[in-house]
Amino acid sequence: MKRLYRARERKGYQEIIGTEDPVLDYLSFGKLQLEKGEKYREKTHGYEVALVILSGKISISSQGKEWRRVGSRNSVFEGKATTIYIPCSSEYDLTAESAAEVAVCKAKADKKFEPFIILPEEVVVNRRGRDTWQREVHDIIVENGRNRVHRIVVGETFNHPGHWSSFPPHKHDGEHAPEEPDLEEVYHYQLSPRQGFGVQLHYTKDLCIDDAYIVRHGDSFAIDRGYHPVSAGGGYQLYYLWFLAGKSGRLLNPFDDPDHRWLKNESKKEMGAFL
């Protein structure tokens, strides 16, 4: 079953993981690549949409609301994201105020809310892990999405060169419900410098899935189940946009691989020694 989607250069809108994709039931993913002055109009139908500005500036309007010349970074490695939420059964109009790249993150929804914007200063920054699995995680639509979105959860992770994230390995496929949520996820990767690479692991305890993928700038990955740690190649910073949705609500409570949970416990012990 295909889970890795290789980068393709394409102007305008590019659908990467389609609404009829056999791997995912709730999520779909695409990307906009626009030149200055180009316009794009779309309907959301049965999906709520998070438009994450990866680079450039845009103006956008939906449901009587408008935001002009938003976006503050030239690449994902130059600051925090600006994101616009568009509810289901809506329409939006977008104009590129400069060359712009926008991630179009879609999650099935049947509850309609109001459009809103998340500005860079509203993004919550978390520094997680230790040693070679220390990383920076940006919560874009997580806790702040309560009573404002139906299912979607959105954020970004930044791996230092040679470091791991989603580590110790975790999953959220509902196997250990109700403690473990049942959520699908999509990753979209970028590298700095962009000729670099990372490694995406994907496995289940019964080894029904036991795979490793080389991931490069612009690739995307669909996660329907299983553990999914990521490593950046030495000398290269790895970024990935992530978003989730599923049938169990929006609570993020990943289940750690029991074989590697001791790493997190050791971290807590060391932290306690300094308190």
Side-chain angles (χ1 to χ4, degrees), residues 23-157:
V23 176
L24 302 177
D25 294 323
Y26 287 88
L27 301 179
S28 177
F29 178 61
K31 194 161 63 170
L32 277 168
Q33 191 82 45
L34 301 175
E35 298 298 326
K36 182 178 180 180
E38 286 191 290
K39 299 179 183 293
Y40 180 75
R41 172 180 287 182
E42 185 59 280
K43 294 180 179 180
T44 59
H45 302 290
Y47 288 80
E48 56 187 349
V49 176
L51 299 166
V52 182
I53 304 175
L54 303 175
S55 64
K57 289 184 181 294
I58 65 170
S59 293
I60 187 167
S61 61
S62 179
Q63 302 288 101
K65 295 188 177 182
E66 183 178 20
W67 297 277
R68 296 192 59 78
R69 298 189 62 81
V70 293
S72 61
R73 57 187 184 179
N74 295 317
S75 84
V76 297
F77 299 100
E78 295 184 14
K80 293 177 282 187
T82 300
T83 300
I84 300 92
Y85 172 82
I86 309 293
C88 63
S89 304
S90 302
E91 186 173 318
Y92 62 93
D93 290 277
L94 186 155
T95 301
E97 302 291 352
S98 68
E101 184 179 41
V102 181
V104 182
C105 309
K106 305 177 185 179
K108 282 185 180 177
D110 47 44
K111 295 180 181 179
K112 187 175 181 179
F113 294 85
E114 292 295 316
F116 63 86
I117 190 169
I118 300 293
L119 297 170
E121 55 267 29
E122 299 175 275
V123 173
V124 177
V125 177
N126 306 281
R127 290 175 175 83
R128 294 188 179 142
R130 50 166 277 195
D131 299 335
T132 55
W133 60 93
Q134 188 174 30
R135 67 276 194 185
E136 186 171 292
V137 179
H138 292 189
D139 290 349
I140 298 174
I141 301 177
V142 184
E143 291 295 328
N144 58 345
R146 187 177 302 168
N147 299 321
R148 300 174 78 190
V149 309
H150 185 186
R151 290 190 175 97
I152 200 165
V153 181
V154 187
E156 297 177 321
T157 294

